[in-house]
Amino acid sequence: MSRTPRIATEAQQGYTFSRRAWLLGAAQIGVGAVLAGRMAWLSVAQNEHYNLLSESNRVNMTLVPPRRGWLVDRHGQPIADNRTDFRVDLIPDRIVDEERTLAALRQLLALTDEDLLRIRADLKRAAGFQPVKVAENVGWERFAAVQVRQPELPGVAPTRGFARNYPAGAAVAHLTGYVGSANAEQYRKTKDPLLLTPGFKLGKDGLEKTLEPELRGQPGARRIEVTARGKLVAELATRPDVPGKTQKLTIDAGLQEYAARRLGTNSGSAVVFDCLTGEMLCMVSMPAYDPNSFSDGISHLEWKMLSADDHVPLMNKVTQGLYPPGSTVKPMNGLALLEAGVDPNERVFCGGALRVGTGLFHCHKRRGHGAIDLRGAIAQSCDIYFYEMVRRLGYDKVAPVARAVGLGEKYDLPFSTQRYGTVPDSAWKQRKYNTRWTVADSLNASIGQGYVLANPMQLAVMAMRIASGRMIKPSLLMNQVHGDAPPLPFSAEHLQVVREGMWKVVNGGGTGGASRLFIPGVELAAKTGTAQVRRITMAERRSGVLGNAQLPFKLRDHALFVCFAPADKPRYAAAIVLEHNGHTIRNLDTPMIGRDIMTYLFDKERALKALADVEPTWGGDIRTRMAAQEAAYRAAATAPPPPQAAATETDAPAPTSAPAVERATDASNASQEATVSDIANGAGPASIGTTEPSDMQ
């Protein structure tokens, strides 16, 4: 059925048109309002944001690493400072054509084949964001040439800044530590863009690490106007960096370097304190690494050489080395005896051996010392005297005195790695081994062996406290020197008896005659010591114990020495510990080293002359010997070196936590446990007696 067509009137048509026109107009107005609102939002509310984006297209801004705060000695002399440095780095993520870039840099910077070998190896191992060093300490002309070509060489980052410098090199390595580039883990932990800035380095070990917040400073910013293609138009105003704070140490830089040199070819350490304040004047561990090499980027080959050295140059022997203190504790033992009521004039007969039960315990002097009192026992280092007296009283009377003079004590010093040793007693042994303390334990402890362990710093503190009669705390930062220390809880008369015994060690025909000072009006008081480190079998005892000169390095006894001067009015105290020295070479033994270090404090010219006379016989100064050692190691390695040997060792741990240090620590612990086992089986060091440097007088 068809529908009748609907006829629209003129009025209806006008209405429909008007409604559509209104809707279209409203839509246009809405769109216009949205556009106007968006324009207002962009031009007003987002004005700063887009200004910054626009500015970033026109201006490149890079962080400027802050100048690191200096480490200076007590006189203001720099121990760690900064030198002006022009360097060139590569940012792997930004490199477009690696071969073309390296070829251009080789020409511009006169790189060698070994340099290119290292750079390629480093690029393969580096994270994309991690800067790879091309060259440091570049001359201005070559640096400027790289800057001019920079737009053509994406990924190349020339930087003007400051590099860390250690004027004394290896002599301060274990004191200062070193700085190095941040690794990927450190960046992921903080997301600090400064860590990715070419040329920025942070503390990796030693004081550089523990004082990082004070030394770092605040970064600056460099602004450069560029074209759309990245070409330089002009340098704009820069935001200056805020340098880190200079830290003043109690160290005497001259004494520090002298002591390091005077240790010669030994593996050992030396610590010197001011007896009036507790300020540490030197803290040396040798041999050591060159912190400048580590800060610049040590090669894999050099790291391997340091790790393989049996003198363990990566270990800070002052804080990480633990040693049986040997006879150096006899003055402290004497103080304990006096406090327990022993008459200092009472004599004990030394016939060279003492039988206790079924055990026979020897003195280092096989024919004995005859009748000897406390002062003489300290001077002659008579083992029998201390065996007998400590056997009578028990070592539980000695241990509290040992702790009071600093053994086993933890010191508040800015070092991240410290081992504190052991001051044993019957309760300690019961807790640790669940066994009773024996007479043999007391006899071995009476000569500083057995369970007794100390680090060189504790031995120096012991000497300082006996010398001063006060419980002085050691300090390393000038703004943290401790105030007046309370007196030791011991009789002044008893302390004086012990000091007289130590004076006789040097000046009264004792075991330390070689350490006598040749300075008018200044006399040294001291105590020598030897610590056995190897097991001596019953067969060797029957056939005759081998002397240190007949043994390989690692089996020789440790040599130790504590002292203070002037003897009548103590001002300085020191401790020297030489690993596996065995008292085998006169001018490299503890008495003469101690003499020369203390001489430096009273007569510098005399001390320097004495060093100049003997240093050439050791192969020259520290730098000369280290250079010769590295050259010999390189010559023995395969030539040409493989890429991994030339590569920068970016993943190496801090020296003080290196695998070589852990191995040395494990070996020391194993030796200590073997000694403890020997004592339990009726042997141990006391069955042989100490070995004193009496032939060195």
Side-chain angles (χ1 to χ4, degrees):
M1 181 174 113
S2 60
R3 178 177 294 180
T4 304
R6 186 176 181 182
I7 301 173
T9 65
E10 185 177 351
Q12 288 175 326
Q13 290 177 347
Y15 174 75
T16 300
F17 177 80
S18 297
R19 185 177 61 181
R20 289 175 179 173
W22 182 85
L23 289 173
L24 180 60
Q28 289 175 332
I29 292 171
V31 171
V34 170
L35 291 174
R38 178 62 176 167
M39 290 175 64
W41 170 259
L42 293 175
S43 61
V44 179
Q46 293 289 296
N47 179 52
E48 184 177 355
H49 172 70
Y50 286 100
N51 271 340
L52 290 174
L53 288 179
S54 174
E55 185 73 3
S56 68
N57 288 332
R58 184 180 69 89
V59 177
N60 282 346
M61 187 175 75
T62 57
L63 290 177
V64 176
R67 287 163 289 175
R68 198 165 178 83
W70 287 20
L71 294 172
V72 300
D73 82 340
R74 60 191 302 107
H75 307 297
Q77 182 176 338
I79 294 176
D81 58 13
N82 305 313
R83 56 175 171 81
T84 303
D85 182 43
F86 295 102
R87 61 179 290 127
V88 178
D89 295 284
L90 285 171
I91 311 300
D93 275 350
R94 300 177 187 172
I95 298 174
V96 175
D97 186 337
E98 182 177 314
E99 290 305 317
R100 176 176 172 273
T101 300
L102 290 179
L105 290 175
R106 177 171 189 160
Q107 181 181 3
L108 293 170
L109 297 173
L111 300 176
T112 65
D113 291 340
E114 189 174 351
D115 291 332
L116 289 175
L117 192 67
R118 173 187 58 79
I119 294 166
R120 285 193 172 96
D122 288 352
L123 283 171
K124 288 179 181 178
R125 301 170 60 201
F129 57 81
Q130 190 174 22
V132 170
K133 182 187 77 172
V134 175
E136 283 189 311
N137 205 21
V138 177
W140 166 248
E141 292 182 358
R142 294 189 183 280
F143 179 79
V146 173
Q147 272 198 316
V148 170
R149 296 279 301 277
Q150 189 179 0
E152 306 166 21
L153 301 171
V156 176
T159 309
R160 290 178 291 180
F162 296 89
R164 202 59 160 169
N165 179 53
Y166 305 92
V172 299
H174 288 294
L175 172 68
T176 62
Y178 70 102
V179 296
S181 300
N183 56 37
E185 182 182 349
Q186 288 169 320
Y187 174 70
R188 283 193 294 267
K189 186 182 295 184
T190 64
K191 298 295 184 182
D192 185 350
L194 179 61
L195 302 187
L196 305 182
T197 304
F200 173 74
K201 294 179 179 178
L202 72 167
K204 293 282 191 173
D205 207 1
L207 294 179
E208 293 279 24
K209 180 179 180 180
T210 55
L211 299 179
E212 174 69 19
E214 293 81 8
L215 294 172
R216 179 181 292 192
Q218 299 295 322
R222 184 164 60 98
R223 299 170 68 242
I224 301 174
E225 186 176 3
V226 295
T227 66
R229 294 181 179 272
K231 290 189 176 182
L232 176 65
V233 174
E235 284 201 18
L236 305 178
T238 62
R239 185 183 72 202
D241 65 298
V242 179
K245 296 178 181 177
T246 293
Q247 299 296 304
K248 192 170 187 178
L249 309 181
T250 61
I251 296 294
D252 182 324
L255 177 64
Q256 177 81 14
E257 186 168 5
Y258 181 85
R261 292 172 61 190
R262 188 59 187 85
L263 287 176
T265 56
N266 280 299
S267 172
S269 55
V271 184
V272 179
F273 284 111
D274 186 323
C275 290
L276 301 182
T277 62
E279 295 169 64
M280 188 187 299
L281 301 180
C282 87
M283 190 210 79
V284 176
S285 175
M286 294 300 291
Y289 58 89
D290 185 350
N292 293 299
S293 293
F294 270 70
S295 296
D296 292 342
I298 190 171
S299 71
H300 180 78
L301 187 70
E302 189 175 352
W303 173 260
K304 188 176 179 181
M305 177 189 72
L306 291 168
S307 298
D309 193 327
D310 64 357
H311 284 38
V312 201
L314 298 174
M315 173 185 274
N316 182 352
K317 298 174 180 67
V318 173
T319 59
Q320 292 182 286
L322 288 181
Y323 311 92
S327 295
T328 60
V329 297
K330 286 176 179 174
M332 178 275 296
N333 289 345
L335 180 60
L337 298 177
L338 294 172
E339 290 293 311
V342 171
D343 184 344
N345 299 311
E346 181 181 350
R347 292 177 176 270
V348 170
F349 181 78
C350 170
L354 175 69
R355 182 169 294 279
V356 179
T358 59
L360 191 63
F361 299 89
H362 288 89
C363 185
H364 70 90
K365 188 173 183 180
R366 291 294 178 255
R367 289 175 295 178
H369 293 97
I372 196 167
D373 63 9
L374 176 57
R375 294 178 180 86
I378 293 173
Q380 299 298 326
S381 201
C382 177
D383 297 329
I384 301 300
Y385 178 92
F386 289 98
Y387 292 157
E388 174 60 24
M389 287 299 188
V390 173
R391 182 188 67 81
R392 292 182 195 174
L393 296 175
Y395 197 76
D396 281 358
K397 294 288 184 68
V398 178
V401 178
R403 298 186 186 104
V405 297
L407 301 188
E409 187 175 341
K410 298 180 180 180
Y411 306 123
D412 183 18
L413 293 169
F415 295 111
S416 57
T417 52
Q418 290 189 64
R419 299 177 70 205
Y420 304 105
T422 304
V423 176
D425 56 22
S426 57
W428 173 87
K429 187 181 179 185
Q430 189 67 41
R431 288 194 307 270
K432 185 171 177 64
Y433 295 101
N434 196 30
T435 56
R436 296 177 59 188
W437 187 268
T438 66
V439 174
D441 293 331
S442 291
L443 300 187
N444 280 279
S446 73
I447 58 169
Q449 297 264 185
Y451 299 109
V452 186
L453 290 173
N455 66 38
M457 189 178 301
Q458 291 170 334
L459 295 179
V461 170
M462 177 183 71
M464 174 174 63
R465 290 184 178 176
I466 289 175
S468 66
R470 295 187 295 137
M471 295 189 69
I472 302 175
K473 299 282 187 182
S475 55
L476 183 58
L477 300 175
M478 285 297 288
N479 61 357
Q480 294 181 12
V481 175
H482 303 283
D484 291 338
L488 288 169
F490 309 127
S491 163
E493 290 76 14
H494 294 164
L495 283 164
Q496 184 57 31
V497 169
V498 169
R499 294 184 195 119
E500 290 170 3
M502 294 179 72
W503 176 87
K504 292 183 69 174
V505 168
V506 179
N507 308 283
T511 57
S515 63
R516 186 179 295 110
L517 297 180
F518 299 102
I519 302 172
V522 181
E523 293 180 320
L524 186 72
K527 184 68 194 80
T528 56
T530 311
Q532 180 184 309
V533 298
R534 68 187 182 99
R535 302 183 74 176
I536 300 176
T537 64
M538 294 303 295
E540 184 179 345
R541 287 188 173 91
R542 287 192 294 269
S543 62
V545 177
L546 295 175
N548 282 291
Q550 301 169 278
L551 297 169
F553 171 73
K554 282 291 186 180
L555 297 182
R556 296 174 187 168
D557 296 338
H558 297 322
L560 306 98
F561 189 78
V562 297
C563 61
F564 59 84
D568 56 345
K569 194 175 182 181
R571 176 63 194 275
Y572 304 111
I576 295 107
V577 177
L578 306 179
E579 294 182 335
H580 311 295
N581 171 274
H583 306 298
T584 52
I585 301 175
R586 180 181 175 84
N587 64 25
L588 285 173
D589 197 12
T590 50
M592 295 188 73
I593 292 174
R595 178 200 69 186
D596 288 349
I597 289 175
M598 296 302 279
T599 297
Y600 182 93
L601 292 162
F602 297 99
D603 189 340
K604 187 182 300 185
E605 293 303 318
R606 182 188 293 269
L608 290 170
K609 183 179 183 305
L611 178 61
D613 290 341
V614 294
E615 195 170 43
T617 66
W618 308 329
D621 62 15
I622 297 171
R623 287 184 175 86
T624 302
R625 295 199 307 271
M626 289 179 68
Q629 180 185 15
E630 183 176 352
Y633 192 85
R634 285 182 178 276
T638 56
Q644 64 267 25
T648 303
E649 189 60 65
T650 55
D651 297 327
T656 50
S657 56
V661 175
E662 293 179 0
R663 289 194 297 271
T665 300
D666 291 342
S668 175
N669 291 341
S671 174
Q672 178 66 12
E673 288 302 318
T675 299
V676 168
S677 175
D678 283 349
I679 294 171
N681 293 322
S687 63
I688 300 298
T690 59
T691 305
E692 294 298 328
S694 55
D695 60 330
M696 296 293 176
Q697 295 180 32

